[in-house]
Amino acid sequence: MPSPEHFIHPFAEVALSNITREYPYAAHHVARSLADIVPAVEKNPAFANSYDWHSSVHMHCLLASLLGTKLGRTANWRDEAIEVLSTHLSERNMLAEADFLRDNRSWERPYGWAWAVELNRVLNASELPELHALGKNTQVLADTVFELVSTWLPKVAEPVRHGVHSNTAFGLRRILVGARTAERHDVVDVIAGAARRFYAEDAAWNFAQERSGHDFLSPGLCEADLMAEVLTEDEQAAWLPGFLSDLTPESPALTPVKVHDPSDGQQSHLYGLGLSVAASVMRLAPQLEATAEHTGDDSLMEQAKGMLARVDDLMAPGLEAAVSDEYMSSHWVATFAWEAFEAARLAD
């Protein structure tokens, strides 16, 4: 795996460029009247950039994360980044964004919700005073998501298992981690209960046939990621190997897909797929290894090591696309690349 330090400056340049670029912009919301047909920035003063709302949120999150690195603290783009983040994430803007979520309760659910919680978590955890202070502003956004997810989940009959934004497990894992960090035990309990209801009986996921041509998530690995956060150690030792039993290093799910048309916004999702799968593998493989050591299951240990051996190949196309000139990729992919680097760091 290449060193993440080599990507800090390029990723920061991409993030800064994205969150200060208003067009093209895809405003995915329901217009109830002509009053809703206005420039996006009038409805979403912080996140009407980086092509769409959720990409804007997680590009802000990426920039905040990069500022917290050793290189970021002394970079020549540091002051500009802090100024842009401070302007966009002002108290007034966050109140407006939170109001918009409340008024459009299914909008950006759950993907955008999850990144809003993650942005707040990153800011609250930042050692930079300027960023830590912004966490007070974004708290209203996170609290709004906690309110929305708590009222939504009890009414959900089945999870969404697609490999795109609507995937239930991907969003819930991120919101769960943020709620746990914020000590919102009420939200943790709601998410954990829903996850058990949705997924506890699942076994032997079909990793040979799960992938489609515009996925940027593995439905199976997203589910495993969430359940690894929810289950007790003993439950996980039983559930996780059974659920991943059909996953081998040769599985299509662990093989990068060739993107033939990078300008196609749907097909370019596949760059992110390799990165998100790599991140999941680096979170899950150590847990399989721990179970293998405890049980003496050599085949489980081989499976975990085989999964990890696929990481570099999975990440390579996405790392290149993240800093390319093709906006359909560069407006979002760097966030997933950085998450994969973070997963590798935490796994060491």
Side-chain angles (χ1 to χ4, degrees):
M1 179 185 299
S3 170
E5 283 75 18
H6 295 158
F7 291 88
I8 289 174
H9 294 315
F11 283 1
E13 291 175 2
V14 165
L16 268 172
S17 173
N18 285 338
I19 66 174
T20 55
R21 178 173 176 171
E22 293 186 20
Y23 295 102
Y25 189 78
H28 307 291
H29 75 285
V30 174
R32 299 181 181 86
S33 72
L34 283 175
D36 288 333
I37 311 300
V38 297
V41 72
E42 293 187 19
K43 302 186 292 291
N44 303 113
F47 304 126
N49 47 67
S50 199
Y51 190 74
D52 49 27
W53 194 91
H54 49 258
S55 299
S56 176
V57 174
H58 67 65
M59 274 290 166
H60 282 78
C61 184
L62 171 63
L63 191 57
S65 298
L66 297 174
L67 280 165
T69 65
K70 184 177 180 180
L71 289 177
R73 295 184 185 194
T74 58
N76 59 7
W77 43 265
R78 177 187 183 278
D79 291 345
E80 180 187 2
I82 290 176
E83 181 180 358
V84 171
L85 289 174
S86 298
T87 299
H88 287 192
L89 307 180
S90 67
E91 180 181 12
R92 180 177 180 178
N93 284 355
M94 292 301 95
L95 288 170
E97 295 286 2
D99 285 344
F100 192 82
L101 287 184
R102 291 192 197 96
D103 291 342
N104 299 271
R105 300 177 77 86
S106 64
W107 185 69
E108 291 287 355
R109 182 184 74 192
Y111 183 78
W113 289 3
W115 283 112
V117 170
E118 178 70 1
L119 172 62
N120 181 245
R121 188 193 67 79
V122 167
L123 293 171
N124 283 337
S126 177
E127 296 179 356
L128 300 180
E130 301 95 331
L131 297 188
H132 189 75
L134 295 178
K136 297 178 182 177
N137 297 344
T138 58
Q139 191 64 53
V140 66
L141 201 59
D143 287 343
T144 298
V145 171
F146 293 152
E147 169 197 327
L148 290 171
V149 78
S150 296
T151 56
W152 167 61
L153 278 179
K155 303 173 186 177
V156 178
E158 293 287 345
V160 174
R161 300 175 186 268
H162 303 316
V164 289
H165 308 83
S166 53
N167 182 279
T168 305
F170 180 86
L172 290 190
R173 177 186 170 274
R174 232 172 210 81
I175 299 169
L176 173 68
V177 170
R180 188 176 286 153
T181 302
E183 298 186 350
R184 286 294 304 267
H185 304 297
D186 56 327
V187 181
V188 171
D189 289 345
V190 169
I191 294 174
R196 287 178 178 275
R197 176 164 58 90
F198 294 154
Y199 306 119
E201 301 304 316
D202 287 358
W205 182 265
N206 185 351
F207 285 98
Q209 297 179 12
E210 72 163 11
R211 190 167 63 195
S212 71
H214 66 180
D215 286 353
F216 63 92
L217 303 171
S218 159
L221 291 177
C222 285
E223 178 176 334
D225 253 340
L226 172 62
M227 294 304 281
E229 294 285 347
V230 168
L231 299 176
T232 66
E233 185 175 340
D234 288 344
E235 288 173 330
Q236 186 182 137
W239 186 90
L240 190 60
F243 183 77
L244 300 179
S245 59
D246 287 344
L247 184 64
T248 71
E250 294 75 32
S251 294
L254 297 184
T255 304
V257 189
K258 175 68 175 177
V259 175
H260 296 285
D261 183 4
S263 67
D264 183 329
Q266 295 299 314
Q267 190 179 150
S268 66
H269 280 175
L270 296 168
Y271 290 127
L273 178 63
L275 294 166
S276 66
V277 166
S280 290
V281 163
M282 288 184 282
R283 286 189 290 263
L284 294 168
Q287 301 184 55
L288 288 179
E289 290 176 336
T291 299
E293 290 175 356
H294 181 71
T295 60
D297 188 337
D298 292 339
S299 63
L300 195 59
M301 183 66 74
E302 290 179 8
Q303 180 189 23
K305 293 187 181 303
M307 290 163 57
L308 288 169
R310 304 298 296 143
V311 164
D312 286 357
D313 286 344
L314 285 164
M315 289 182 62
L319 289 175
E320 183 177 349
V323 293
S324 72
D325 293 331
E326 179 47 65
Y327 191 55
M328 287 297 98
S329 304
S330 63
H331 80 269
W332 67 280
V333 172
T335 310
F336 281 77
W338 189 252
E339 180 176 63
F341 283 134
E342 284 291 283
R345 180 182 65 83
L346 294 173
D348 285 344

